[in-house]
Amino acid sequence: MHPITIDNLENENFLNLINQYDPLQLIAIVDDNTAPFLETIHQITDLNIDAIQLPAGEQFKNINSLAGIWKDLTDNHFRRDGLIINLGGGVISDIGGFAAASYKRGIDFINIPTTLLGMVDAAIGGKTGIDFFDFKNQIGVIKQPKGVFCDVNFLKTLPKEELLSGFAEVVKHGLVNDKKYFEYCTSTPIENLDWNKVVKGSIAIKSNIVKADPDEKGIRKFLNFGHTIGHAIESHYLEIGNPILHGFAVAKGMIVESKLSVEAGLLSEDEFIQIENTLTKLFPKVSVKENDIPSIIQKMKNDKKNHTDAINFTFLQSIGKAVYNQTASEESIAKALFIC
Ligand code: GLY
């Protein structure tokens, strides 16, 4: 696993790493929202680092944007010994990491996540990739960055709903691995949370899991809880031209997958009710119309997490304890999607 620094960017780890590279072989990947943060990097490093700027949004995490990055790197004669600096949220670390992993058969990159989702999930653990047609993260590789630098000061600029979207991954970490962490995070009003503590807590959970299973052969699948349903819902809304935030789709996914965990005889009804009440209070409701269910189930059938014809899930045995490689019938999935 890569080193992770949770501190402000002035931390010496960041400067030490940047100083290992030829200053002319540094390039940042940013989006319209994070381009202003280049000034922060400039002030800290005293370098004017060139940047490739993408429009902001999941709908741009695609092959066209990736080809644009490859072209800019090629036009600038960017060398194999250079460093890509991904400065942004999950879209930037996913696509920028994949561009780095594929350009000239792989060059170094670091992630500077600027969103909560990036800090607690997307930037950590080396998953990189793009969406393909309507399938989320369909094309990509696992390649570890040289380092990840999480500065919670960036969160001050984040719109409330983006913060909440990232918070779904925080809640997931508690649900799959640590009941006390789940209770701390969900019993404190979001505006009173200590973000340093939350980011540290989530990163500790995620990085322990990724260290034990970087290639997702086993326990890394715990982190997919809520995502089989969540990704399918997110892809569906993207396809119909009405994108919803990742975390809101995952929150719905966690409720539905908790219900399926009860049906599978794993989770108690009482804990399901606790989870449903908590998530319903925290996140906006995502409704699924009966007519949309076949298309959502079709997307789950194409999910890369499946390794047989059956749809693959991570379920809960209790709050804080997950179990991977579970399945459910299409009828149960349809019913749970409709009633939850
Ligand atoms: N987002 C889940 C993982 O990195 O495995």
Side-chain angles (χ1 to χ4, degrees), residues 121-122 124-127 169 172-173 206 209-210 214 216 220-224 227 231 246:
D121 189 30
I124 310 288
K127 282 191 179 173
E169 300 291 346
K172 177 194 79 180
H173 290 141
K206 177 158 182 178
I209 291 175
V210 174
E216 199 171 299
R220 188 167 180 169
K221 295 180 189 181
F222 288 163
L223 300 172
N224 294 334
H227 284 65
H231 271 163
H246 175 73

Side-chain angles (χ1 to χ4, degrees), residues 249-265:
V250 168
K252 170 81 173 190
M254 290 193 287
I255 298 174
V256 177
E257 292 181 19
S258 297
K259 181 76 188 165
L260 292 172
S261 305
V262 176
E263 306 240 314

Side-chain angles (χ1 to χ4, degrees), residues 323-334:
V323 51
Y324 58 81
N325 286 351
Q326 300 298 304
T327 192
S329 69
E330 282 182 38
E331 294 71 32
S332 321
I333 299 169

